[in-house]
Amino acid sequence: MASPSAPSLCIATLLLVIGSWATSASARNFYQDFDITWGDGRAQILNNGDLLTLSLDKASGSGFQSKNEYLFGKIDMQLKLVPGNSAGTVTAYYLSSKGSTWDEIDFEFLGNLSGDPYILHTNVFSQGKGNREQQFYLWFDPTADFHTYSILWNPQRIIFSVDGTPIREFKNAESIGVPFPKAQRMRIYSSLWNADDWATRGGLVKTDWTQAPFTASYRNFNADNACVWSSGSSSCTSSTSSSSSSDGNAWLSEELDSTSQERLKWVQSNYMIYNYCTDAKRFPQGLPPECTMS
């Protein structure tokens, strides 16, 4: 990974300011939108539904899932990650369908020793096939405050963003035989769990249970621009068929403009630490076909 230059650090500071503007304007209530699914009391909804926390100790982690299922959406969540020595822990925040040929869109935050950076791990599964990992360091301390992690999922592309800055784009490549997540409705899931067999330095660094409980916090969920699937139909069907180009539904055809493309290049040049599309040793028969797309 290239060392960020002075101009890069200036850009990073600017992006933090931009990120503060990216906070959801109409945050939802966790009681309305999510169910705690496991953890035996280790997950809690607090502050009248404005805050959700997940905790992990040696006995168990915890998790939650959305009440709604979505088929395309622009989804934001603010997270503050486990502080201090978080080695061995994983905070996962993702969209997923069910079944053996599931679709999935992943953010995973791999903990580390105090003072060492978190690794942000991303992946896309389509029809049960993943192996599309890209990993990043972040240009800020994700444990010091809340930051917004966003997924834009429309029929043409999936864009992962942090504080409004795109870090990854996965384009629809069905034209060259690559399945794309577009037919299976997905729920939002999140969990905090122990993965010290692989999460930190390939499993060399284990979880220090004297630091438990480990806690991650969530606020300002927003899925106002999303297609909710209910009773066999999408909430977008009637409104988008006649007005998909209107401002309210512009996300359904949204793509990166030139400024966003420059930000994406900046992040990938300075903070990307793994890209499956450049790992020729992993794919001796040739890189996956979507890697040939510009």
Side-chain angles (χ1 to χ4, degrees), residues 19-122:
S20 68
W21 300 338
T23 304
S24 304
S26 55
R28 303 291 297 270
N29 184 298
F30 281 105
Y31 287 118
Q32 296 172 342
D33 294 309
F34 292 94
D35 292 317
I36 292 171
T37 49
W38 64 285
D40 194 23
R42 291 172 179 82
Q44 295 185 306
I45 298 176
L46 305 168
N47 298 354
N48 297 315
D50 290 341
L51 180 72
L52 188 152
T53 61
L54 295 181
S55 292
L56 164 69
D57 57 33
K58 197 167 187 178
S60 177
S62 50
F64 63 88
Q65 70 179 42
S66 63
K67 295 179 185 291
N68 287 329
E69 294 179 302
Y70 303 92
L71 187 60
F72 305 123
K74 190 172 186 179
I75 294 166
D76 302 326
M77 183 81 82
Q78 289 196 322
L79 281 74
K80 182 163 69 171
L81 300 179
V82 174
N85 182 0
S86 58
T89 70
V90 172
T91 306
Y93 160 56
Y94 59 102
L95 287 159
S96 183
S97 63
K98 295 292 189 181
S100 60
T101 56
W102 77 101
D103 294 337
E104 187 171 321
I105 305 169
D106 287 342
F107 277 114
E108 290 187 314
F109 303 89
L110 313 185
N112 215 331
L113 295 168
S114 298
D116 289 341
Y118 262 82
I119 291 175
L120 172 50
H121 175 103
T122 66

Side-chain angles (χ1 to χ4, degrees), residues 1-19 134-140 160-169 256-273:
M1 181 188 72
S3 298
S5 63
S8 293
L9 293 175
C10 291
I11 295 173
T13 302
L14 176 61
L15 294 182
L16 286 174
V17 174
I18 293 171
Q134 290 184 357
Q135 295 183 335
F136 306 84
Y137 289 143
L138 294 165
W139 51 93
F140 54 83
F160 297 77
S161 298
V162 178
D163 285 342
T165 295
I167 64 168
R168 176 177 186 178
E169 180 179 27
L256 295 175
D257 61 19
S258 58
T259 300
S260 295
Q261 288 174 8
E262 287 302 313
R263 287 188 196 163
L264 176 67
K265 290 176 183 177
W266 176 80
V267 171
Q268 295 191 342
S269 295
N270 290 285
Y271 293 97
M272 178 183 279
I273 58 171

